[in-house]
Amino acid sequence: MKSAVETLNPTRVRLSIEVPFEELKDSLDAAYKKINQQVTVKGFRKGKIPARVIDQRFGRGAVLEEAVNDALPKFYTDAVNEAELNVLGQPEVDITELKDGETLNFTAEVDVRPTIEIPDYSGIEVEVDAIEVTEEDIDKSVEQLRERFASTSPVERAAEDGDVVTLDLEAKVDGEVLEDGVATGVSYTIGSGELLDGVDDAVKGVEAGGEATFTSELKGGSAAGKEAEVTVKVTQVAARELPALDDEFAQLASEFDTLEALREDSRKRLENMKQYDQATQAQERVLEKLLELVEVPVPEKLLEDEINTRKHNLEHHQLGQMGLDLEKYLEIQGKTAEEFDTETKEAAVKGIKTQFVLDELVNKEKLNVNQEELTEHLMRRAASSGMSPDQFAQAVVEGNQVQMLVGEVARGKALAVVVEAATVKDTNGEIIDLDDEEEDETTESTSEETPAAEAETPEEKPEA
């Protein structure tokens, strides 16, 4: 076999491959054997039909077609390996010449990872929010805890803001009661916004035993998105009573003996949360600066696949679970279809560039992933997916996605290297010393931005 490579653009090449006919022998033998098992010829046992009879009865062309289809993947792979190409996705193959007994010539056009030059990134400087926990922040945190320990007691008066009411609801569309539009004994806190739009105004001022009717757009169910006439009956009104803010409350709601100790613990927790947010902000801004420094051509086919994957996931998974379609989602977001397409493309481009640049950094810095790092990352991903570690690990193995996880961890380590080399200051001008403990979460955000890019990477998904 002979092969030559022609560079069409920075992200696409054409392989020209010439195969002497004798190198097709194994594939021809396999073709005859396969056809033998599929056909019957009177006078011959199944599987024992001579090659000449198959040629006469079914045509030599059918055999050649089967043999070439069998041989092409191997010769293509050999040519890719010989040229040391880092290919992306499926090739477009064109058989240019097939002479029986002489030669097979074909071309294969395929996207390749672009060559990326990583510049000196030690001069990157970014600014992040300063960590500041105010007394107001602590008050809000303690008040949220207080809300959790609130009690309720029935009252003989009209419902007011903050009351917990028990409701029976019936929804009609075009005068017909929906099969899934009836609910009884629903507990609802007025003002929480956790039920239908318009229900707050409808039930305020209504006593137990009273009814009200209002119209609202249904958020889910069989008539999601449609206007419905909703009849609501208040069966009970209960007032919420908050516990007093004192040492007794601290002992009830926490392991602390005093309210002062509880507030100090709230301060520490809020500081830790803001430190995490600050580290995440630093990583995102350092990554943006790094991408500005690097020229990264994006393969057109890969970009197209990435955009389609993002749209598909949004429409058929995220929106589907909320009972929305894309049109309704855009209406809620206040976006046009053109704005949505532009934003999706920009996000896809950034995701692909991020993966390419971080992968190049992994190679440049010679970063490796050990078993402990991989296991820790797997545990984090399992938790975020709502699966147990065993279930998630099984899904990863069955989906041949182990290398994908390894790549996520490696990219996280690569970004951590850049963050460590960068100068990070807060809005007060103080230099921030960041550790690497958040690298796994950052890896997830960058890798999950590029599902199509992952799927199109051969070393991570061989069948791509």
Side-chain angles (χ1 to χ4, degrees):
M1 183 197 78
K2 296 179 182 179
S3 64
V5 180
E6 177 187 358
T7 300
L8 303 177
N9 62 49
T11 63
R12 194 165 181 83
V13 299
R14 178 188 292 124
L15 288 162
S16 298
I17 303 167
E18 181 181 336
V19 183
F21 205 80
E22 57 267 21
E23 293 186 29
L24 289 172
K25 182 180 184 305
D26 289 344
S27 294
L28 280 168
D29 291 343
Y32 279 117
K33 185 175 181 180
K34 182 177 181 179
I35 294 173
N36 243 306
Q37 299 300 321
Q38 295 175 339
V39 301
T40 57
V41 175
K42 189 175 180 179
F44 296 95
R45 286 183 296 165
K46 194 174 185 66
K48 299 296 183 180
I49 308 170
R52 58 178 176 77
V53 175
I54 291 177
D55 289 345
Q56 291 169 357
R57 295 291 296 272
F58 305 102
R60 173 70 167 177
V63 179
L64 289 175
E65 181 179 359
E66 180 67 36
V68 169
N69 288 339
D70 175 74
L72 282 180
K74 175 185 180 302
F75 291 121
Y76 164 73
T77 301
D78 289 346
V80 166
N81 293 337
E82 184 179 300
E84 298 182 343
L85 298 175
N86 198 339
V87 299
L88 299 167
Q90 297 277 21
E92 294 181 6
V93 176
D94 181 28
I95 298 174
T96 57
E97 185 178 33
L98 175 59
K99 291 184 177 180
D100 194 359
E102 296 184 26
T103 186
L104 163 66
N105 294 331
F106 68 96
T107 62
E109 287 191 18
V110 67
D111 286 333
V112 294
R113 280 182 177 253
T115 300
I116 299 174
E117 294 294 332
I118 303 294
D120 179 14
Y121 47 78
S122 61
I124 291 178
E125 294 186 12
V126 298
E127 184 180 75
V128 296
D129 295 335
I131 295 176
E132 183 180 1
V133 177
T134 66
E135 289 301 310
E136 184 180 347
D137 293 331
I138 298 173
D139 290 343
K140 184 177 179 181
S141 176
V142 173
E143 189 63 23
Q144 289 173 343
L145 182 61
R146 190 182 177 207
E147 291 277 350
R148 288 170 50 192
F149 284 85
S151 59
T152 59
S153 58
V155 292
E156 299 293 331
R157 59 166 172 77
E160 301 173 355
D161 264 330
D163 285 344
V164 178
V165 290
T166 305
L167 309 174
D168 294 341
L169 300 103
E170 180 183 84
K172 294 180 180 179
V173 173
D174 298 329
E176 296 291 330
V177 177
L178 300 172
E179 288 186 9
D180 55 355
V182 177
T184 59
V186 177
S187 180
Y188 175 67
T189 301
I190 299 176
S192 67
E194 296 175 350
L195 208 56
L196 295 170
D197 293 338
V199 69
D200 288 341
D201 291 336
V203 299
K204 278 191 292 187
V206 178
E207 298 183 15
E211 289 187 3
T213 301
F214 64 99
T215 59
S216 182
E217 183 178 298
L218 299 179
K219 297 179 180 179
S222 61
K226 293 184 178 180
E227 286 287 328
E229 181 183 85
V230 182
T231 300
V232 57
K233 180 179 181 180
V234 179
T235 61
Q236 179 180 277
V237 178
R240 299 178 73 249
E241 298 176 2
L242 297 174
L245 279 177
D246 52 22
D247 292 346
E248 186 176 341
F249 166 68
Q251 295 163 18
L252 170 69
S254 71
E255 71 270 29
F256 302 103
D257 293 329
T258 66
L259 182 60
E260 182 180 354
L262 173 60
R263 289 179 62 85
E264 182 58 30
D265 179 68
S266 295
R267 179 188 300 277
K268 291 178 181 178
R269 286 189 297 103
L270 290 170
E271 285 177 348
N272 289 336
M273 291 170 60
K274 287 180 179 287
Q275 284 177 344
Y276 174 85
D277 292 342
Q278 187 186 65
T280 301
Q281 190 179 66
Q283 290 167 332
E284 291 172 350
R285 293 182 179 179
V286 167
L287 177 60
E288 288 175 1
K289 290 282 189 178
L290 177 63
L291 293 180
E292 290 174 5
L293 294 175
V294 187
E295 184 70 27
V296 186
V298 176
E300 291 184 10
K301 182 64 167 60
L302 185 61
L303 177 59
E304 179 185 343
D305 290 345
E306 173 68 2
I307 291 172
N308 290 337
T309 297
R310 286 171 180 266
K311 288 183 177 180
H312 177 84
N313 289 341
L314 176 65
E315 291 188 63
H316 299 279
H317 298 293
Q318 298 167 335
L319 296 184
Q321 292 175 354
M322 296 187 290
L324 298 174
D325 58 19
L326 183 58
E327 183 179 355
K328 187 61 182 177
Y329 168 76
L330 294 179
E331 180 184 328
I332 294 172
Q333 294 292 315
K335 296 177 183 176
T336 65
E338 291 74 18
E339 289 172 336
F340 170 73
D341 288 341
T342 298
E343 290 179 5
T344 302
K345 181 177 180 180
E346 289 174 351
V349 168
K350 181 181 178 182
I352 294 172
K353 286 185 175 181
T354 295
Q355 182 178 329
F356 284 172
V357 170
L358 294 183
D359 282 348
E360 185 61 31
L361 267 168
V362 169
N363 295 329
K364 180 179 179 180
E365 301 294 343
K366 296 180 172 57
L367 300 175
N368 295 311
V369 176
N370 60 42
Q371 186 61 48
E372 182 180 353
E373 292 168 333
L374 183 60
T375 300
E376 182 180 351
H377 181 61
L378 186 147
M379 299 281 283
R380 292 177 186 271
R381 288 293 303 273
S384 65
S385 68
M387 302 170 67
S388 72
D390 288 344
Q391 289 174 325
F392 188 80
Q394 182 178 354
V396 167
V397 172
E398 291 177 353
N400 294 320
Q401 299 296 300
V402 175
Q403 281 303 114
M404 184 190 74
L405 284 190
V406 172
E408 290 177 3
V409 178
R411 284 188 283 276
K413 296 179 71 171
L415 181 55
V417 169
V418 183
V419 172
E420 185 178 355
T423 300
V424 181
K425 294 182 180 180
D426 66 17
T427 49
N428 294 329
E430 297 291 331
I431 293 180
I432 306 300
D433 183 19
L434 297 169
D435 57 33
D436 302 342
E437 66 181 73
E438 313 300 349
E439 68 184 44
D440 249 2
E441 288 81 1
T442 303
T443 310
E444 290 171 28
S445 66
T446 56
S447 64
E448 289 170 358
E449 276 186 326
T450 58
E454 294 286 2
E456 292 290 346
T457 305
E459 63 269 28
E460 293 170 351
K461 194 169 183 181
E463 64 269 24

